[in-house]
Amino acid sequence: MAKNSRLSLASASDENYTFCWRVFCAWDYLIGNPEAAESKGAAIVNNIREAIVEEQEKKKDTSLAVLVSLRILANILVLLSLAGSIYIIYFVVDRSQKLEQEKPELTLWEKNEVSVVVSLITMIAPSAFELVAQLEMYHPRTSLRFQLARVLVLYLGNLYSLIIALLDKVNIMSSAIPVAAVGNWSDSSAFLATIALPEEENLATIVPEISERHNSTVGAALEPNRTKSTTPPILNHTALYEYNMRSQQDQCWETYVGQEMLKLSIIDMIFTVASILLIDFIRGLLVRYLSDCCCWDLESKFPEYGEFKIAENVLHLIYNQGMIWMGAFFSPCLPAFNVMKLIGLMYLRSWAVLTCNVPHQQVFRASRSNNFYLAMLLFMLFLCMLPTIFAIVRYRPSQHCGPFSGQEKIYDIISDTISSDFPLWFSNVMSYVTSPVVVLPALLLLFMLIYYLQAIARSLKFTNNQLRMQLQTERTEDKKKVFQLAAARLQGPEEGGGKKAEQESDITSQESSVRSSSSPRRNGSVANFESPARHGNSIRTIAQSASRSDVNRAVAASPNPPAHVLQKHRLDKIPSRLPIQVLPPRSVQPVRSLCRERPLGSAVPQERSPGAPGRRGAAGGGAAQSFAGRRSHTARYVVVNEHEARRKLLRSSTRVPPRHQHHHHREPGDIVELYPRTVKRFAARNAATAHRAPHQPHLSEEEEEEEEEEEEVVRSARRRGSFGQSLRPRSLSDLHQPAAAARFYIGDQAGSEVSVGRALGAGEEEEEEEGGEEEEWEDTASRSRSLSQTNVQSAAPQPPSVKPKTKHKVAPSITESDSASVASSSDPQNSSTDQYIQVIHNKDKYLKTSSAKLAKKKSKASIDFNVSASNELVFSNV
Amino acid sequence: MGTTASQLSKDLLSEYQELTFLTKQEILLAHTRFTELVAKEERSSLSLRIPMEKILTMPELKSNPFRKRICYVFSTSERKDGSLTFEDFLDLLSAFSDSATLEIKSHYAFRIFDFDDDGTLDCGDLENLVNCLTGETDDTRLTPDEMRQLINNILEESDIDKDGTVNLSEFQHVISRSPDFVSSFKIVL
């Protein structure tokens, strides 16, 4: 219950998006059953209609006077029927009492009159209430609430009037019987009626003697006979016996009340079953089979199929619960019986619901949580305990039967038992515990506790309100962001166009190699822009916002990340690092080309290609390359960091949008297979933007290297087997281009001497480590070395013919590539890259810190992580 | 292409596991279910496309009003015929799986609802969507009046920038507030 209330509190926030939710979130995709789908569809229609109608009703105001008067009338009717039912019950109990006194033998009807009448009322009245409720024209949910409340009051009234009438009878009984025991038996029945309550007191003095006598004898049933036989007036024994049995039974008022409750319970069961069969089943049968031979449509007009009555059925359970609470003290087996009965009824009812009932015409959510019903149950428990407790406290237990016979009050048995049956110390302890010395402080403590808890509840409520406010402000902020984004999108296309033009000019001005390498990248980003239909909306927005921010940064060097829903963090991170690199006097273009790539998420080129030049610094590219390397490192850092920090998020966000044609390329867990995919993508994009041509013809220097790489790739692919198809030789060459581009740009435009030494150093270190593997590195054409390196490494350990093992093999290669791409600070074994970073760190402190961070994280991360990281990187291609 | 038809190779399986939100069992189950749709002799290749009509015979999709849209959205077919490869199929299941995040789900929901694939939900999309939900019969279908009002209300609620369409971010904004969406946007084999 507490949990429920928590839930309901949590979901209590105002429903802002009624219509959207009813349409967007309407369908339950889990539905696989055509019938269920049909009813769900009907429910959705109803739901939507209901929303529309409500909206319409909000606008128009119905004649208020009529409505109010109707509702007043309805309430009066309900109150009248409630009063009537209570009166009837009281009347019936009274009548049965009189009948009992007048007649020695009661017929079956007379015996069960009370419970039958009560059951009838509980059956009929709710339907009457329902009719009345139609007058009121409330929303179904409201009317359900009203119906529930009314039926609850009715049931409670029934139970209360019944038990009060019964207790009234008990009152008379307990006063009459003692008199009867002493008085003249022959006219006792007449005498009984005349005896009034006040006489009880003087009679009470006689009672103990009788009860003592009774206690001494063995059988409770035989007792009366004995006492009678000892009483002075000698009567006909056989006639007396029967009579005494009855009067003796009547003396047990507890038994009597228990019997009544059990009777009520049984008859309630009978009536429920009968009503299910009659009202639901027979009616259903009639409607179904007679509709053909009737002049009007039975199914849709008058009798119809029965609707499942939520209020009634729920309250029936509660009513039964109330009966249990009330009767359990007087007839201990009542709970057991009731449980059996309710289980049986549940199955019967479920059958009836499934076969003969139709769902409520207007679909509505009865209640968000079950708290309402649980609260009702609790309420019922409390109310039903009251009469029982009252009876326990008020009435003296019957003299001749039951475990409490002989006690002045029922609860006396507890103190009696404690004093007589328990050891002495226990009664001592109990006397202490029950003494005011203990009870009063305990009460005080309780009060304090209650006060304390209430204070806590108050404060929690306060906090709750505050949090809700916070949520609301956040929501509005969110809205603002979305709005901003929308505004940004409007500017997007222009931007894209601008870039394209830029790029074109690039192409003309640069060398062919540059062009061949740069254009695909550019094209990649631009293509993303321009094909929103294919890549989905989010891509476009991401691309745009990211690229825009990058441009801003490059030009103004002021980090100005646009609000972005999906990749907020990502963008936030970038500016913090990038500006420093962007600031140095360098032409805007290369920077942008790098930057743009990153947010776009074509992870592979960005990861590897920038990494390549840096390492290769020793060769031709020289200073510029190293510079580029540094820059690209940071770029890579950003990416990798993101992956680490928000791995899951990225994964989710990145994987969402584009549906690439090459799904299986997405799958590969290692680098070698990663390449082709991006490459393919590039190719596709290029095709789309008609820039394909440039990267087909490659630089002569590149070619031999590429060939080698291709070979290796193919080999490794063969080894891996499953994805051989995805590894196209050509793809590698494509891949290099970005790398080349990065280097080239830098070499051309950012060619400052700043980092010559550093670059050289880096290159040497690299040589120390890895130089043995390949000599190409030292070539000027080493721009694609990182690729080749990774390829070689993945390829080298294994002979071509060996079959997979992939996971194991892949791992090292990946770590390698990772380290290569991530400035390799991560892997301690890659000392060259470590040193390289240190070199960098002279220049850029922030880089070092970030790399250190990275290293920490990375060292923790296992190979698996690397694998996944690379995967995600691929996915970041969004 | 070293995998056999009936069974996924181990590394492939682990890759799928890595790349989707599915567990191993789910992937295997998906594979069996997928191959059941294929004729025996064709089961050899992974890149095999299954036409949309066959996919739609699956009970999980059969009664879904958006079944065709789902196929189109997840299909990587060049011909836009809604045919699915096994990997597309896995993608579908992954997006509809338990552990897929709200963002993924809402993104795909958006694309499913975006009937004309133009990246926004405009009036036409919304009308299509409502018609899908209500079915095509006359008694369930909304009247033009109702439809107009409904669409107006939807746009009023969700169209934050007031451009007459619902874009992805607006859509996600709305959807992310819904308590039921994540639990109902689910397909389990």
Side-chain angles (χ1 to χ4, degrees), chain B residues 11-29:
Chain B
D11 49 327
L12 194 52
L13 194 61
S14 62
E15 273 162 19
Y16 284 152
Q17 250 174 290
E18 196 66 51
L19 295 165
T20 62
F21 292 106
L22 304 172
T23 63
K24 200 170 166 187
Q25 282 77 18
E26 284 167 334
I27 292 170
L28 288 176
L29 177 63

Side-chain angles (χ1 to χ4, degrees), chain A residues 26-47:
Chain A
W27 188 256
D28 188 341
Y29 289 74
L30 279 171
I31 290 177
N33 181 356
E35 232 173 89
E38 211 170 279
S39 63
K40 179 75 180 175
I44 289 170
V45 172
N46 280 328
N47 218 342

Side-chain angles (χ1 to χ4, degrees), chain A residues 760-806:
Chain A
L760 281 173
E764 279 161 17
E765 281 151 12
E766 275 180 15
E767 278 174 59
E768 283 171 21
E769 265 237 45
E770 300 166 354
E773 285 183 21
E774 275 200 357
E775 287 143 16
E776 291 168 13
W777 297 8
E778 283 119 9
D779 286 354
T780 47
S782 58
R783 69 183 90 70
S784 55
R785 188 187 118 280
S786 73
L787 283 177
S788 66
Q789 172 198 348
T790 50
N791 283 335
V792 166
Q793 288 194 346
S794 63
Q798 319 116 201
S801 58
V802 179
K803 264 270 158 192
K805 254 207 252 173
T806 35

